[in-house]
């Protein structure tokens, strides 16, 4: 694979949404590339990389890490897939970027066919369509978001035994008649009550009781109010 020839190179990566990252290439596959930005390991799905160029000058003096990233050390190159990385990241404090300018902090609770469940102290249980994940940054196993202790973090999470369906569409269908926020509520129309979900279309009734229809493929995150 072409990207594997870039291992240990310092690169500048342009992501969809206009984000720019710089770091040393640690590992890569046809599915994901891992870079070290001098402080953290960043896992980047290939689908969201728009440009990549070698930074021969390395003006920021990005150094190679002194250790291997924990997730890639647990899988072989043939198994370096986004799904496997998400599975290994379960229960670990991670930062993820899904929407354009809003990073989320929390832990991955479950990984399903085309979405994953993310537990956030701020937004509680979130359903996130995997294809919209732009980066994942793991923190140490004993570190929790916002400086919370393990007990404090656990106390902020919802207590529920929710059954999960394999696909995003069928899972969101379980939220019929529930109040939800789509895409972190970036638009007024993204907040409302789920009326129906069928054929990749979700019908939301907004605060004025007007129905609005969304293509589920373009819904990045869903969480209940």
């Amino acid at each position: 694979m072409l990207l594997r020839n870039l291992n240990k190179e310092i690169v500048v990566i342009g992501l969809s949404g206009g984000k720019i990252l710089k770091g040393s290439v640690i590992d890569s596959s046809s599915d994901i590339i891992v870079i070290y930005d001098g402080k953290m390991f960043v896992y980047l799905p290939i689908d969201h990389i728009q440009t990549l160029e070698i930074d021969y000058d390395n003006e920021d003096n990005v150094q190679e890490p002194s250790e291997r990233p924990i997730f890639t050390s647990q899988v072989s190159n043939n198994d370096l897939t986004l799904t496997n990385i998400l599975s290994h990241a379960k229960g670990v404090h991670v930062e993820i970027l899904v929407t354009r300018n809003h990073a989320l902090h929390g832990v991955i609770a479950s990984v399903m066919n085309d979405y994953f469940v993310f537990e956030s102290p701020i937004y509680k249980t979130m359903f996130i369509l995997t294809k919209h994940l732009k980066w994942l940054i793991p923190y140490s196993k004993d570190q929790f978001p916002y400086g919370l202790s393990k007990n404090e973090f656990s106390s902020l999470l919802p207590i529920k035994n929710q059954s999960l369906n394999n696909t995003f569409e069928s899972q969101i269908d379980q939220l019929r008649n529930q109040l939800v926020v789509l895409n972190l509520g970036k638009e007024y129309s993204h907040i409302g009550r789920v009326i129906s979900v069928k054929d990749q279309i979700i019908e939301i009734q907004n605060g004025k009781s007007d129905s609005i229809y969304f293509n589920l493929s373009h819904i990045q995150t869903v969480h209940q109010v």
Side-chain angles (χ1 to χ4, degrees):
M1 180 188 169
L2 180 61
L3 289 181
R4 285 184 180 162
N5 296 329
L6 298 177
N7 280 2
K8 297 186 178 181
E9 295 281 7
I10 306 300
V11 297
V12 179
I13 295 176
L15 298 179
S16 53
K19 292 289 186 180
I20 302 294
L21 294 177
K22 182 181 294 186
S24 173
V25 177
I26 305 302
D27 211 341
S28 62
S29 69
S30 60
D31 199 28
I32 197 167
I33 185 170
V34 186
I35 67 170
Y36 180 72
D37 68 0
K39 295 180 180 179
M40 309 294 292
F41 292 102
V42 186
Y43 294 75
L44 302 164
I46 296 294
D47 285 347
H48 288 287
I49 294 178
Q50 293 187 342
T51 61
L52 186 152
E53 59 182 294
I54 297 176
D55 180 14
Y56 292 104
D57 296 329
N58 190 18
E59 293 179 353
D60 293 338
N61 194 30
V62 176
Q63 302 295 314
E64 290 185 28
S66 59
E67 57 185 7
R68 293 280 297 171
I70 183 171
F71 299 154
T72 57
S73 65
Q74 294 171 343
V75 299
S76 66
N77 284 336
N78 292 333
D79 294 326
L80 185 58
T81 66
L82 179 56
T83 299
N84 283 342
I85 293 300
L86 288 172
S87 296
H88 282 293
K90 286 194 296 185
V92 177
H93 170 205
V94 296
E95 174 188 313
I96 61 173
L97 184 70
V98 181
T99 60
R100 183 173 182 177
N101 292 312
H102 197 112
L104 299 170
H105 286 266
V107 300
I108 294 167
S110 300
V111 181
M112 311 308 287
N113 287 359
D114 61 349
Y115 75 99
F116 60 94
V117 182
F118 190 73
E119 298 289 358
S120 160
I122 306 300
Y123 300 101
K124 310 308 178 185
T125 300
M126 307 181 74
F127 304 108
I128 298 177
L129 201 55
T130 303
K131 71 176 185 178
H132 291 302
L133 179 66
K134 296 177 176 63
W135 76 47
L136 181 148
I137 302 174
Y139 291 79
S140 63
K141 287 189 174 182
D142 58 351
Q143 183 179 2
F144 291 88
Y146 308 105
L148 297 170
S149 68
K150 182 177 181 180
N151 289 337
E152 288 172 330
F153 176 75
S154 299
S155 69
L156 291 173
L157 299 181
I159 301 174
K160 61 177 74 174
N161 293 314
Q162 186 174 29
S163 61
L164 296 173
N165 288 331
N166 286 329
T167 67
F168 188 66
E169 179 177 0
S170 58
Q171 182 60 36
I172 303 308
D173 187 49
Q174 285 194 349
L175 301 179
R176 277 179 293 173
N177 296 318
Q178 301 298 313
L179 293 174
V180 300
V181 177
L182 309 179
N183 296 345
L184 303 180
K186 293 182 295 183
E187 304 290 343
Y188 171 74
S189 60
H190 290 169
I191 302 172
R193 184 167 66 100
V194 178
I195 302 302
S196 66
V197 180
K198 187 176 181 180
D199 298 328
Q200 285 295 309
I201 300 297
I202 179 173
E203 177 186 356
I204 296 290
Q205 201 168 62
N206 67 16
K208 295 181 179 179
S209 298
D210 296 328
S211 287
I212 304 175
Y213 301 86
F214 296 95
N215 184 336
L216 272 180
S217 294
H218 295 282
I219 300 300
Q220 299 152 332
T221 70
V222 178
H223 67 276
Q224 288 181 256
V225 176

